[in-house]
Amino acid sequence: MAAAAAGLSWRRVSSFTGPVPRSRHGHRAVAIRELVIIFGGGNEGIADELHVYNTATNQWFLPAVRGDIPPGCAAHGFVCDGTRILVFGGMVEYGRYSNDLYELQASRWLWKKVKPQAPSTGSPPCPRLGHSFSLYGNKCYLFGGLANESEDSNNNVPRYLNDFYELELQHGSGVVGWSIPVTKGILPSPRESHTAIVYCRKDLGVPKMYIFGGMCGCRLNDLWELDIETMTWSRPETKGTVPLPRSLHTANVIGNKMYVFGGWVPQSAGGEISTHDGEWKCTGSFAYLNLDTTEWIGLISDCQEDKSNLLPGPRAGHCAVAVGTRLYIWSGRDGYRKAWNNQVCCKDLWYLDTEKPPAPSQVQLIRATTNSFQVKWDEVPTVEGYLLQLHADSPVPSAAGTPGTGVPETSVLSSQGGSSLHQSSQSLPSVPCPEMKVDHPSQANNVIPNNVQLSLSSNSLLKIEGKEKVAASENKITQETMKNHADATAFKESNAPSLLPVCTSSPQTSANVGELHDLDKRTVIPDASVSSTVSSTQTMVTQQAVKTESSSTNGAVVKDETSLTTFNSKSEAAETAYFMPSTKVNTGQANDSHSSRTPQRQMAPVKSRERQWYDVGIFKNSSAVVSQFYLLPEETLNASNKMEDADVPDYRLLKKQDLFPGTVYRFRVAAINGCGVGPFSKVSEFKTCIPGFPGAPSTVKITKSVDCIHLSWEPPASPSGNILEYSAYLAIRSTQLQENPNQLVFMRIYCGLKTSCVVTAAQLANAHVDYTSRPAIVFRISAKNERGYGPATQVRWLQDMKTSSSK
């Protein structure tokens, strides 16, 4: 079917930055989170550099690799296992092939040549190119390729292979060795430049490898299946129209589909397809195989290739890689050339969203005031925006509201000594919060400005028209610092991001109060308003934010020094309504900090028909400051909920409603990509603050000494009176943590008027190491005025593996 009929929405990337690699073919690519890593290939010589493209920032960079750097190669095997990449074989120069194996630790950009043991029966794989190299579990599967029978590289005597090897990997780094599995059934015929993917059905759980196409004197379009558990080869029966015979194509699995793009295909002549000695051409055809039903679905055929620049042009020897549900295609040969040294290569980069994005994580609170929230949610890969909605417990008028009252106060994340910080807010039971006034610099505008239109076309294609206005300050992405900063220099150079995951705090919220009798009257406090992540090897800085009060009906006040507050992470089930936006307008400012996961307290179930959701706006990034929401026309309120693809009024024509103090609001968020709006997240619940209590202490620093650490902080920006004392707490080991890891137990380690304290080695020896993400020791600091204690600032002190294992 045609591209439009198939609902395809290819996008050509044009606004990237950084050193763009020269065009080529025979290269390979893998994805690690949002990074596309490309190695090898040839065009006027074989490329030996490693290129990385950040799909989130549209930036190319050249990491500073070190170690046993491999020579350039083309048509090699290239697989990714976590943050480690394996390279096997390929052509290192014309007529000379390799059977070397290299490992790249992408967390440090460190190359290492590895020497696997030879198989107990038979010889190790011979030098080759055009083979397939597929990963499943802790094993790589090598099949086929092309070998040179001649010892003289200038006298190429090709031999097509159909040998099959298994390479066992060690955990994290290194390999065990090659083996030659005993297989059943008939082996696929010898071939090179084919594709191989591994797929495991969710309902059956049986991993299978699929080999498609390739070259063996003529191009092939046969499909082979290997049951990896039983090592049985078979030829599955397929439905639909099988793609033309091809080689040098790509195949990628997204969901339950194997997407096949491009390659060399027969040149039709007078309606007849030439075969062995005929002419061949590059193709831009595109199809997928439903791996559950083994049905081929054609998306773009050869006759539907167009020259309108709406689709990727014909090519072979390109690379394709899946980042989430998005398929990226880069470079490759774009025409028929017989001579190796007479190539014409594409320079373009394309992507296709293959399905709607998944639901984001729950909305998390960074900070609350009396009339605003600063919220965030985990980023969803390869999306173009987020639709944020709220629901208020109190009645909301249908078409009345007040104009905007300006940008609410926000806190700003800062760092010192090169360490990365991580910030979030969590619920404090039944303690009203003061309104904070924090000075802050200008921030990147997260919302599409008024002069920018965001629309969904008839095939749910997201379009952004006009020029975006971004504030002068840079939009920062906070990540944990790596264990060894010397090893992390490759990520620091060229503005390359760390591959390590962003740290999140333990999922906790107020639920109930129990008694703790064995801590010598040491106070255990509720959740913090802010969580910061810092490295154990450096001084740490954080900026506090105000927490929100949990619903008073389910909160608890810490009344004495023996009380223990426990927290659960139950939340309401995800909503299923869909919402299709038509325009974007400016609704607020963005925050540049990343917060920890903050699931909210258990909420009473509310039926969808009893709840009306209001749009906060559509945001480019995964954070927002919420002080208003859009009111809906009266006729819209009569509907039970918004349905998918429903028409949405122009936001600029809608009135706004301000948030009220002391009011509970529920939030949900959905991601948007080229296929439309995805499902909504689970619902989170926050309450705006009540004035009078002190804010959370700010700018927390931890300085490590030989036998202790020094913990210091600054007073709250909004004390709401005189500060009578501060309390600092340390998360400690407890039997309750074994029963429920989501319930942290805190011991008070300091109480006084000073804004600093010393944490001794004896106290640290009793610390609980939180493994929610990276190992960390958790501190909390809170201030008290005449009305009582305000929200606490939480700091996660990152530990290296040696430190954490000794705790």
Side-chain angles (χ1 to χ4, degrees), residues 439-461:
D439 294 333
H440 60 281
S442 61
Q443 299 173 357
N445 189 354
N446 184 22
V447 184
I448 303 289
N450 286 324
N451 67 329
V452 176
Q453 297 290 325
L454 179 109
S455 61
L456 290 171
S457 65
S458 58
N459 61 347
S460 300
L461 167 61

Side-chain angles (χ1 to χ4, degrees), residues 335-348:
Y336 177 69
R337 300 292 185 274
K338 289 186 176 180
W340 170 262
N341 59 356
N342 185 18
Q343 314 294 337
V344 177
C345 290
C346 309
K347 300 178 181 179
D348 48 354

Side-chain angles (χ1 to χ4, degrees), residues 290-330:
N290 185 315
L291 296 168
D292 292 336
T293 63
T294 62
E295 180 180 7
W296 285 105
I297 303 293
L299 300 173
I300 303 172
S301 68
D302 287 279
C303 61
Q304 290 161 344
E305 296 171 359
D306 64 12
K307 302 186 184 300
S308 62
N309 294 323
L310 298 179
L311 300 172
R315 67 195 66 207
H318 53 284
C319 70
V321 62
V323 179
T325 58
R326 178 176 287 180
L327 181 66
Y328 281 87
I329 290 175
W330 180 71

